[in-house]
Amino acid sequence: MPITLQEIKNNALAFVQKWENETSEEAEAKSFWDDFFEIFGISRYRLASFEKPVKKQDGRQGYIDLLWKGELLVEHKSRGKNLDRAYRQATDYFIGLKDYELPKYVLVTDFANFRLYDLQNEQEYQFLLQDLVKNIHLFAFMAGYQPRTYKDTDEINIKTAELLGK
């Protein structure tokens, strides 16, 4: 049974409290991401891997911090590091990925700050770790929720309904 939105929010709140003072990527990034996936009731081990080797755009070897093939690429930095550079680093890895591995989302963080790039919809979202619960809907894809879009009813459908009503 899928995890409920309320359970996700409760898990996110506990996650924020646990990680609010962390600063070192080298020491804690892997545990951070294992816990992040658990917010959504899923095991990171089943979906994503750490330190995937890839050739970067400049031909040098690089390592993706976390890759969920076809969904999410994460570049994690220590607190206070430049997230613009982290995003450039993340996108430099694209050339070394197969088409089916290319992510729909790129997430860069320094523990305190999050930037989520929705590549399909060309949207960028920025928020603080403390605001994760308010922004948890941005990660609904992780729990298998699909976004729905609603559009105005077509004119033809309105006329058809009016005719049927008569």
Side-chain angles (χ1 to χ4, degrees):
M1 188 145 115
I3 190 168
T4 67
L5 185 55
Q6 188 58 52
E7 289 172 308
I8 291 170
K9 287 180 178 182
N10 292 343
N11 293 346
L13 182 59
F15 177 87
V16 168
Q17 291 169 345
K18 178 177 181 178
W19 291 101
E20 65 188 344
N21 295 315
E22 190 53 58
T23 60
S24 174
E25 173 199 2
E26 192 171 302
E28 294 297 340
K30 290 180 173 121
S31 297
F32 180 91
W33 290 108
D34 286 343
D35 286 355
F36 189 84
F37 275 74
E38 288 294 333
I39 290 172
F40 305 94
I42 54 178
S43 171
R44 191 269 319 154
Y45 298 97
R46 294 182 52 126
L47 300 173
S49 57
F50 293 121
E51 303 300 326
K52 175 171 175 41
V54 292
K55 291 285 185 202
K56 297 192 304 185
Q57 215 159 351
D58 62 8
R60 295 186 312 169
Q61 184 71 40
Y63 295 89
I64 298 172
D65 287 343
L66 182 137
L67 180 64
W68 176 2
K69 293 177 183 176
E71 287 295 325
L72 176 67
L73 186 149
V74 172
E75 187 57 38
H76 197 121
K77 297 297 178 194
S78 291
R79 190 176 297 244
K81 295 293 182 181
N82 186 315
L83 295 184
D84 292 327
R85 282 186 53 209
Y87 180 71
R88 284 191 302 276
Q89 181 180 348
T91 56
D92 279 350
Y93 294 137
F94 287 7
I95 198 159
L97 295 173
K98 296 178 175 80
D99 286 348
Y100 74 90
E101 295 176 314
L102 289 169
K104 296 173 188 153
Y105 302 92
V106 171
L107 178 59
V108 295
T109 185
D110 69 352
F111 291 106
N113 301 284
F114 283 75
R115 288 191 194 164
L116 179 68
Y117 299 85
D118 178 340
L119 302 178
Q120 293 178 311
N121 297 308
E122 299 178 353
Q123 295 286 323
E124 176 186 342
Y125 306 94
Q126 296 184 48
F127 57 92
L128 299 172
L129 172 65
Q130 288 78 9
D131 296 326
L132 177 62
V133 175
K134 289 190 272 187
N135 291 281
I136 205 68
H137 64 280
L138 299 173
F139 300 96
F141 69 93
M142 293 187 70
Y145 290 101
Q146 299 294 321
R148 291 186 180 201
T149 55
Y150 299 94
K151 57 183 179 180
D152 292 337
T153 306
D154 295 334
E155 184 67 30
I156 190 79
N157 289 338
I158 294 171
K159 289 182 180 178
T160 302
E162 288 172 351
L163 286 173
L164 288 172
K166 291 180 184 176

